Every structure is written in structure tokens, then in C-alpha cells.
């Protein structure tokens, strides 16, 4: 389809319903479907395997990510777990060294026990990936930007390595959403999301989405989705589909608000470091401009000490002090005590995740209210 992003988000997979003409995709709250006779049915047999509300969501996300097939799961981690089941014991994965903590836990505390092996490298340098490839390597697993340090990896360079060596390149695109970045267009085999974050966007659901343009992988993923069964219910599929319709307008506001907040933070002496890909002095600015359409809503900043971070987090009023990200409401978190508590102190130090680091998920409120809130919290 030659349509633009917003048109696809509102219409892809969402033709008016056949029986009544309902313009909005109905919530098919059913576990099974009456069949017409032996071996005769309308393409729907049992709702773990197929559900029309889920099918609409899957068609829509596939189109938005520029893939051919989409798959919905009960959470982001269920999606990642299904993708990892494309591999077998003994297979080797090269992953980023500052990935989402829950993904690291799945790799290190679950999959390693089943005989998978992992090497974690700084993905900012594609040479590190080349150097880590062994005969057993099957997959490169990347996030860009990373959480909370906003490191980018060059998707085109990793895509080229994957193509040349026959590896799968899997990209967790949660931080950008399909509106700001499309890994498959840069050579990724699979793009996946925690739809709990920007795609859901209202802090009211947990979900995961996977997209690929590889037919054999799609067939296997469909098999795994049904065989392992971590599927979302129709209500959550409906909410996700509803959220997708406004993703572009929400992301535009997340980006413009975050740009204003980041600019404000740079003018405040209390912050020793600010990490935001949209800042003029961002070290990977050229790469950001090349592979991202805008810079997103996430900002990390260093207040220099645990005491200052603690005082700031206690003083905000519009920002909620909470884990998660990507919702319409602004959130603030302290990575060391919240999301990255299980990361060993020496690894945190190497990554720059200091005791004074705080992370903003800038929402879509009036930006002047957000800046005023930060200002009063700095005074406190
Ligand atoms: C939250 C998150 C996940 C996990 O998703 P859930 O929906 O919480 O299971 C994976 N990757 C990233 C980047 C995330 O932020």
C-alpha cells in the first residue's frame, strides 16, 4: 500500500466488519467458533490459533513496520521469548551490553539454562559484532536507543553483517515505535515491541508485537505462537489497535515536548550530563539523523549524587515517580534503584548508570507545566 503512516495506522487490517458493517473492529470475545461440518469452517477454529480482533492488530502492525506478517503476544517478554524459540540449544546470540533488564534476565536466567549461549558487546561499534561471531552464532539482538543511556547502534551496518553472514538480526524497537524507526527497512529480520509502552501509550495494557518479512520465519513464529500459546486476549488487542490510531499524533507531541525539556535541562547547572539524541552535541547525532525520523520522548540526566536524585524524585508533582515509559502521562524513574537494580555495580559504572542518574519519559501534557514542575523540584 502506498498510504502514509497515519492512514495505515487507522485503516490497515481494519476494513468494516462483514456482517454489520461496523466501522470499528469488534472485540470478538470468544474461545471457539461453530464449524459447518467435518473439515469445514470459516478460517477460525479456536481462539488461541485465530481471533479476528487479534488478526486486525497483527495485519496493522505488519504494515506499519514494513513487514509481511505480524504476531501479537501477551507481553513484550512473551514476544521476545517466542522469537528466541526460533533458536535451538547450543545456538549463540550476540546481544547489546546494555539491554532492557527483563530481556537480560530472560537470556541469562532462563535461556542460558536451556543451553543457549550469549555474548554481550557494545553495539555502538559494529566491529564488536564481527569479532564475536562463531560457528554457533545464529542471531544478533539489538536495541536502539538503549535504556537509559541512549546509545544507538547502526541498524544498516548490523543489517549488512547479518545479510553477509546469514544471521538473523532482531531489533527491539520499543523506544522508537514504528512511527520513528523501521528496523526491517535497514535489514533487520525481525522488529519487535513491548506494546505496553508507546504503542499502547496509555499505561493501561501489557502486550508484545513481532513483525518479520521472512516467510519461513513467519511460518515458524505462527506455529510457535499457537504451540506455546502466550497470546493476548481480544480486549487487549482492541485497546492496542485503538491506541495505534493515535500513535503518530502522540509521538509528535512526545518528541516536541522532550526536545523542549532536554533544551531546558541543558540550561540548568544542576545536571552534570544529559542524554538525548536530539541535542546538538549528542555523540551519535549523524547516525540518529540517518535512521530515526525524530528523537523520541526519553531523556536521561545526571544530578551528580544519590541525595540530589532522591530529593528531586520526591519533589516532582506532574511527573509520576514510576517504572515503565511511553504513556501519555510523564513519568520519572531512578534506574539504579528501580529498573537496573539487578545490574552489577561495576557494569553500571562502566555504562555510566550512576547513583545520580534519573530518566524522564516525557508525556504529552502541556510542556510549560512539565518544565515548571522540573523547576520547582530543582528548587526543593
Ligand atoms: C518494557 C520493555 C520490554 C518488556 O515488555 P513487557 O511488555 O513489560 O513484557 C522489552 N523491551 C523494552 C525495550 C522494554 O522497554
Amino acid at each position: 500500500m502506498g498510504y502514509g503512516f497515519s492512514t495505515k495506522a487507522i485503516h490497515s487490517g481494519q476494513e468494516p466488519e462483514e456482517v454489520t458493517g461496523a466501522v470499528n473492529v469488534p472485540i470478538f470475545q470468544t474461545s471457539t467458533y461453530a464449524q459447518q461440518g467435518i473439515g469445514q469452517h470459516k478460517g477460525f477454529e479456536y481462539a488461541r490459533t485465530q481471533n479476528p480482533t487479534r488478526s486486525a492488530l497483527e495485519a496493522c502492525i505488519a504494515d506499519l513496520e514494513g513487514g509481511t506478517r505480524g504476531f501479537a503476544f501477551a507481553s513484550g517478554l512473551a514476544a521476545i521469548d517466542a522469537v528466541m524459540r526460533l533458536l535451538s540449544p547450543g545456538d549463540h546470540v550476540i546481544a547489546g551490553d546494555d539491554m532492557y533488564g527483563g530481556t537480560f534476565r530472560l537470556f541469562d536466567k532462563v535461556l542460558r539454562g536451556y543451553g543457549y549461549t550469549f555474548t554481550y558487546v557494545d553495539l555502538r561499534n559494529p566491529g564488536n559484532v564481527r569479532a564475536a561471531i562463531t560457528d554457533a552464532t545464529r542471531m544478533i539482538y539489538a536495541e536502539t536507543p538503549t535504556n537509559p543511556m541512549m546509545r544507538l547502534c547502526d541498524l544498516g551496518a548490523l543489517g549488512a553483517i547479518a545479510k553477509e553472514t546469514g544471521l538473523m538480526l532482531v531489533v527491539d524497537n520499543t523506544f522508537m515505535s514504528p512511527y520513528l524507526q523501521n528496523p526491517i527497512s535497514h535489514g533487520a529480520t525481525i522488529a519487535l515491541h513491548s506494546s505496553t509502552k508507546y504503542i499502547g501509550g496509555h499505561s493501561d495494557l501489557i502486550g508484545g508485537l513481532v513483525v518479520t518479512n521472512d516467510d519461513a520465519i513467519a511460518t515458524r513464529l505462527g506455529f510457535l505462537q499457537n504451540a506455546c500459546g502466550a497470546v493476548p486476549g481480544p480486549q487487549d488487542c482492541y485497546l492496542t489497535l485503538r491506541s495505534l490510531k493515535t500513535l503518530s499524533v502522540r509521538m509528535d507531541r512526545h518528541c516536541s515536548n522532550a526536545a523542549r525539556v532536554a533544551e531546558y535541562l541543558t540550561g540548568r547547572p544542576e545536571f552534570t550530563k544529559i542524554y538525548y539524541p536530539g541535542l546538538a552535541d549528542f555523540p551519535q547525532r549523524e547516525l540518529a539523523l540517518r535512521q530515526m525520523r525524530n528523537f523520541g520522548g526519553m531523556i536521561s540526566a545526571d544530578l551528580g549524587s544519590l541525595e540530589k536524585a532522591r530529593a528531586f524524585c520526591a519533589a516532582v508533582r506532574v511527573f509520576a515517580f514510576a517504572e515503565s515509559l511511553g504513556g501519555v502521562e510523564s513519568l520519572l524513574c531512578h534506574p539504579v534503584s528501580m529498573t537496573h537494580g539487578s545490574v552489577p555495580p561495576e557494569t553500571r559504572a562502566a555504562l555510566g548508570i550512576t547513583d545520580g542518574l534519573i530518566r524522564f519519559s516525557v508525556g504529552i501534557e502541556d510542556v510549560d507545566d512539565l518544565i515548571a514542575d522540573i523547576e520547582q523540584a530543582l528548587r526543593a
Side-chain angles (χ1 to χ4, degrees), residues 75-78 80 100 103 143 172 174-175 194 196-197 206-207 325:
S75 70
L77 277 170
I80 296 166
Y100 175 73
T103 307
E143 292 174 14
D172 182 334
T174 301
F175 262 46
S194 166
T196 312
K197 314 296 168 52
I206 297 279
L325 61 106

Side-chain angles (χ1 to χ4, degrees), residues 91-169:
D91 286 352
H92 176 238
V93 179
I94 300 168
D97 62 2
D98 60 345
M99 62 200 319
Y100 175 73
T103 307
F104 178 71
R105 182 176 56 199
L106 173 68
F107 288 5
D108 193 59
K109 300 286 192 293
V110 181
L111 297 176
R112 212 156 52 85
Y114 293 117
Y116 287 52
T117 60
F118 297 89
T119 302
Y120 300 96
V121 302
D122 183 344
L123 289 177
R124 285 177 298 181
N125 178 1
N128 292 339
V129 173
R130 275 190 198 280
I133 295 174
T134 70
D135 288 345
T137 308
R138 296 286 174 272
M139 180 188 286
I140 305 166
Y141 188 98
E143 292 174 14
T144 181
T146 61
N147 169 31
M149 300 313 294
M150 305 292 156
R151 291 177 172 188
L152 309 187
C153 63
D154 186 332
L155 291 173
L158 294 186
I161 294 174
K163 188 167 182 204
E164 181 192 319
T165 54
L167 303 178
M168 261 185 266
L169 172 60

Side-chain angles (χ1 to χ4, degrees), residues 35-313:
Q35 304 189 20
Q36 288 68 60
I38 294 174
Q40 281 182 289
H41 57 75
K42 298 180 174 176
F44 296 92
E45 303 154 271
Y46 184 65
R48 172 164 30 74
T49 323
Q50 314 102 346
N51 178 286
T53 317
R54 195 176 90 212
S55 303
L57 170 61
E58 293 175 333
C60 188
I61 190 65
D63 208 15
L64 294 180
E65 273 293 11
T68 49
R69 292 280 303 281
F71 301 91
F73 291 89
S75 70
L77 277 170
I80 296 166
D81 183 55
V83 165
M84 297 314 288
R85 286 169 195 262
L86 293 167
L87 305 182
S88 306
D91 286 352
H92 176 238
V93 179
I94 300 168
D97 62 2
D98 60 345
M99 62 200 319
Y100 175 73
T103 307
F104 178 71
R105 182 176 56 199
L106 173 68
F107 288 5
D108 193 59
K109 300 286 192 293
V110 181
L111 297 176
R112 212 156 52 85
Y114 293 117
Y116 287 52
T117 60
F118 297 89
T119 302
Y120 300 96
V121 302
D122 183 344
L123 289 177
R124 285 177 298 181
N125 178 1
N128 292 339
V129 173
R130 275 190 198 280
I133 295 174
T134 70
D135 288 345
T137 308
R138 296 286 174 272
M139 180 188 286
I140 305 166
Y141 188 98
E143 292 174 14
T144 181
T146 61
N147 169 31
M149 300 313 294
M150 305 292 156
R151 291 177 172 188
L152 309 187
C153 63
D154 186 332
L155 291 173
L158 294 186
I161 294 174
K163 188 167 182 204
E164 181 192 319
T165 54
L167 303 178
M168 261 185 266
L169 172 60
V170 177
V171 178
D172 182 334
N173 202 26
T174 301
F175 262 46
M176 284 282 93
S177 89
Y179 182 58
L180 298 182
Q181 177 172 278
N182 296 118
I184 290 173
S185 72
H186 298 281
T189 327
I190 289 174
L192 62 85
H193 292 273
S194 166
S195 43
T196 312
K197 314 296 168 52
Y198 284 109
I199 289 179
H202 298 71
S203 306
D204 56 4
L205 64 87
I206 297 279
L209 295 168
V210 178
V211 176
T212 185
N213 60 354
D214 180 302
D215 288 345
I217 286 174
T219 301
R220 183 68 184 166
L221 276 173
F223 174 84
L224 289 167
Q225 183 192 40
N226 181 52
C228 302
V231 293
Q235 299 264 357
D236 281 353
C237 292
Y238 162 81
L239 274 178
T240 311
L241 209 43
R242 178 169 177 149
S243 295
L244 275 177
K245 294 178 203 280
T246 57
L247 181 64
S248 62
V249 288
R250 284 187 287 111
M251 290 315 294
D252 282 340
R253 178 71 86 93
H254 281 296
C255 291
S256 62
N257 277 4
R260 282 277 310 279
V261 169
E263 193 186 316
Y264 172 77
L265 298 180
T266 55
R268 296 293 309 210
E270 292 89 343
F271 292 98
T272 57
K273 276 214 171 83
I274 294 144
Y275 305 90
Y276 183 64
L279 290 175
D281 63 352
F282 182 70
Q284 296 175 287
R285 181 160 175 88
E286 187 264 334
L287 176 59
L289 289 168
R290 184 146 40 94
Q291 69 188 19
M292 299 152 66
R293 291 186 196 95
N294 204 330
F295 307 112
M298 303 301 298
I299 305 169
S300 294
D302 205 325
L303 277 165
S305 75
L306 181 60
E307 293 65 41
K308 287 177 182 163
R310 182 177 287 135
F312 184 83
C313 292

